[in-house]
Structure formats: structure tokens, C-alpha cells
Amino acid sequence: MNAPGFDSLELLSRKPDQAHHARPLLFVHGAYAGAWCWDEHFLQWFADRGWHAYALSLSGHGASRGHTHLDSLSIDDYVADVAEAVGYLPESPILIGHSMGGMVVQKYLERASAPATVLMASVPPQGLMSAAFGLMFKKPHLLADLNRIMGGGEAQLESLRDALFHQPLDERMLERYYRLSQPESHRAIWDMTLFNLPRTDKMHKAPMLVLGAEYDMLIPPDQVHSTAQTYGLKAEIFADMGHGMMLERGWDQVAARIDQWLTEQGF
């Protein structure tokens, strides 16, 4: 359900029958997506384990404001969305970001603290340039299709499969995810590529878990390891998975690792 009294940004909420954790979770989606990607599996899974779980649709995504000027939205605008959502919640949340959402979480830490953060297949602090060059050589059709989606055009179903999934996926589910996907802001993409990368020296320090997927075509394992090394950590790579770690088969293993790590951190 949408969180009541929070109308301009879509904030999905799943409340536990019995809360076991004081801190809520706030999930931040990646490019071309919305809060719906967390509501497929993650939100209810975490609610069933005593977490109050929220998922935000950034401006221009899902049912949030800003669709009419999507292409002018910046990463800083998305960071402001997260700050607005954080201000709505009763306690400062643990932030969990996927792909572009991971970059937004890193940028958020420049302006505010968080109890803990989880980066899933996140854009690295060094930006998208290396990943884009790798994609250009390995999957040039996929890069072209992503550019087409950004311009409001239609992509091929097989490109969506390549972008998000390594394991077989039911065609009906693939078509459903295709219908839920949308264009992304050119400005935000450029911000993540070159113009507004995280300033790690300015970031508030917080416990951080860095996760990636073995067969991720968009943010391959070497980029995930680069992120972890920047923060003095070791990345954890899930075998036999693609970029869509919250949608791919085995998503529950990812959720369980996050839950375990948060418990280890005392949350």
C-alpha cells in the first residue's frame, strides 16, 4: 500500500504483524524502474521478518511526481527525494539501493547520515564510464536499446532479459516487467557517468554491505569489487544471477543475506 499522507512521491509500505526491529528499511530503485521492483518479493519478505519496509519511486518514476520533466531530473533531485522520504519516516531508515539507486544512496551520504547502507549491483563511485565501455564491446545491442528507452522509444524484450536476468524467466513475467519499465533521465545518466560522482571524502560513514551478481551485464563483478575497495570492504557476489537481484530466481538468498548482515550489525 502507499504510505498515507505522502502523496507527491510514491512510497510503498509493508508493515510487519509484529515489529522486531526499530529501524525501518527504505529501498531505492535503479534506472528505468520504480518502487514496484521491490514490491514483487522484497517488501513482504522483510515485513514477514519483523521489518517495516518501504520502497520509494524517485521523481519521474512509478506513481511519483515529475514525469513531465523527467529528462531534466538530476541525481541531486533523486537524493532530495530520498531525503524527503527519510523525513517522513518515524526513524532514520537503513538505505538499500540497487544500481542507480545505489549511486543515489552514496550521494545521499554526502549530505546526511544513515544507520547502515546496502549497495546492490550499484553504480560504482567511479561512475558508469567503465561499465559502458564494457557493455559496448560485449553487448552493443543492449547499450543501443538502453539509449532508445532513454529517448522514450521501445526496446526489445530480449534486451530487457539480457539487462536484468541470467536465469530463465517466464515470458508472461518478462512482458509484465517490460510494461512496468520506463525511460530514464538523460541528465541523471550523465551525472552518474561523469558530472556528479560521489565525493567519498565528504560522505558520512556508515556500516555498508556491497553485493553484486556473477552474470550482471550492466554492473559486472569487477565494478562491484571496485565499489567495495573504495570503501575498504569486500564485495559479495551471488553466483548464477543477473542484474535484477530482487527479481531474479534466488532473490530470497539476497534478501536473507541482507537480513543476516543487518542482524550482525545489531539492528
Side-chain angles (χ1 to χ4, degrees):
M1 68 179 64
N2 254 312
F6 196 74
D7 298 328
S8 58
L9 290 173
E10 181 180 33
L11 188 65
L12 303 183
S13 171
R14 293 290 177 268
K15 188 175 181 180
D17 292 334
Q18 185 174 1
H20 300 305
H21 309 278
R23 296 286 185 181
L25 306 178
L26 179 59
F27 293 89
V28 186
H29 65 81
Y32 312 104
W36 63 265
C37 69
W38 301 108
D39 205 27
E40 292 292 292
H41 306 296
F42 266 45
L43 293 190
Q44 192 59 55
W45 190 96
F46 279 97
D48 289 343
R49 284 151 184 82
W51 297 95
H52 198 159
Y54 296 86
L56 170 68
S57 282
L58 300 167
S59 289
H61 298 77
S64 286
R65 67 196 176 208
H67 282 265
T68 58
H69 56 279
L70 169 68
D71 214 33
S72 67
L73 294 172
S74 66
I75 290 297
D76 283 343
D77 290 321
Y78 296 160
V79 170
D81 292 340
V82 172
E84 186 175 339
V86 167
Y88 168 80
L89 301 181
E91 298 285 344
S92 180
I94 293 158
L95 300 176
I96 302 170
H98 174 253
S99 195
M100 180 181 77
M103 172 64 79
V104 172
V105 167
Q106 292 173 76
K107 292 295 291 181
Y108 175 85
L109 291 175
E110 290 181 13
R111 67 159 68 178
S113 60
T117 58
V118 179
L119 304 181
M120 294 172 51
S122 173
V123 175
Q126 294 79 15
L128 282 172
M129 192 70 76
S130 293
F133 275 118
L135 195 61
M136 185 186 302
F137 289 105
K138 293 178 183 178
K139 295 276 186 176
H141 72 282
L142 179 54
L143 184 62
D145 243 10
L146 291 175
N147 287 329
R148 191 175 301 117
I149 296 173
M150 265 207 317
E154 293 189 1
Q156 300 297 317
L157 276 178
E158 286 308 308
S159 291
L160 180 64
R161 191 195 305 274
D162 284 348
L164 291 181
F165 303 102
H166 170 67
Q167 299 173 9
L169 180 69
D170 181 271
E171 288 296 321
R172 290 173 299 177
M173 292 304 297
L174 183 63
E175 290 173 2
R176 180 168 174 272
Y177 295 152
Y178 177 83
R179 291 193 299 270
L180 289 167
S181 298
Q182 63 165 81
E184 187 51 68
S185 163
H186 282 80
R187 182 176 177 184
I189 296 295
W190 277 112
D191 279 349
M192 291 189 292
T193 303
L194 187 62
F195 294 118
N196 194 14
L197 302 181
R199 299 176 61 185
T200 56
D201 60 318
K202 302 293 185 182
M203 290 169 59
H204 291 77
K205 303 302 180 186
M208 179 183 288
L209 177 65
V210 180
L211 305 177
E214 180 183 12
Y215 292 102
D216 192 334
M217 292 291 103
L218 300 182
I219 309 292
D222 67 302
Q223 299 294 304
V224 179
H225 286 299
S226 177
T227 297
Q229 289 168 5
T230 297
Y231 297 115
L233 303 170
K234 289 188 177 180
E236 299 181 27
I237 306 298
F238 284 82
D240 202 33
M241 293 190 76
H243 186 67
M245 299 175 72
M246 75 293 285
L247 300 172
E248 182 82 278
R249 292 184 189 179
W251 64 265
D252 53 336
Q253 299 174 35
V254 181
R257 177 59 187 130
I258 294 172
D259 182 60
Q260 177 191 36
W261 181 78
L262 290 174
T263 300
E264 293 168 355
Q265 299 301 311
F267 296 106

